[in-house]
Amino acid sequence: IIFSKRAPIGNVVISSKTLCINQGCLACISKKEISIKYFYFAISVFTDQFNMYGAGTTFKEISTKDFSNFILPLPTLKEQHKIVDYLDKKCSAINSDIEKKQALIEKLTEYKKSLIYEVVMGKKEL
């Protein structure tokens, strides 16, 4: 798990490849038995709380110490897998709905532009 600790605090991704990070990120490797996707979901919802620990003058940054002392709920591994399965299904359905709505918004935006053009150019009467 890669966690951005500054500018902005709290962005989270799962890396499937070996990589290097800079001082603006934390590489999170679990010492306990934990589902990576559960850990991803868990820390991704605490952005506001992580931001409360942020300090700095140019930009806010959460310290590695504050991040490592943050307590997350940790159910059994079996429960974690159930939670991940549920969230994967629900998030997939929500993302599908969002894509459909975005496609509709794009069509309506194009229609609006076309309508404005036709009226302004006198091709369509009022």
Side-chain angles (χ1 to χ4, degrees):
I1 301 283
I2 308 301
F3 176 87
S4 66
K5 64 183 216 161
R6 66 177 180 196
I9 295 173
N11 285 350
V12 185
V13 295
I14 298 173
S15 172
S16 59
K17 300 183 189 247
T18 303
L19 53 84
C20 295
I21 60 170
N22 68 10
Q23 65 276 15
C25 296
L26 296 171
C28 307
I29 301 167
S30 176
K31 294 181 182 179
K32 297 181 179 184
E33 196 170 279
I34 186 170
S35 160
I36 295 298
K37 283 206 74 176
Y38 172 80
F39 190 57
Y40 164 82
F41 283 128
I43 63 175
S44 68
V45 296
F46 287 105
T47 304
D48 290 340
Q49 289 79 2
F50 287 127
N51 270 288
M52 289 190 322
Y53 288 96
T57 53
T58 306
F59 48 80
K60 290 174 78 174
E61 178 175 2
I62 185 172
S63 71
T64 303
K65 180 182 176 187
D66 284 337
F67 178 81
S68 63
N69 287 331
F70 199 82
I71 298 172
L72 293 172
L74 187 61
T76 66
L77 193 56
K78 184 177 178 180
E79 289 175 294
Q80 291 174 40
H81 290 301
K82 284 182 180 179
I83 291 167
V84 167
D85 289 343
Y86 175 81
L87 290 174
D88 277 342
K89 288 176 189 166
K90 289 295 186 180
C91 289
S92 178
I94 291 168
N95 287 338
S96 177
D97 288 344
I98 289 170
E99 287 174 14
K100 290 174 187 173
K101 299 297 182 195
Q102 286 175 331
L104 179 59
I105 289 169
E106 287 174 17
K107 285 181 183 177
L108 290 171
T109 300
E110 285 303 313
Y111 173 68
K112 175 183 161 185
K113 287 179 183 178
S114 174
L115 180 63
I116 291 170
Y117 175 80
E118 289 178 7
V119 171
V120 169
M121 298 305 287
K123 294 182 179 185
K124 186 170 188 113
E125 290 189 30
L126 301 177

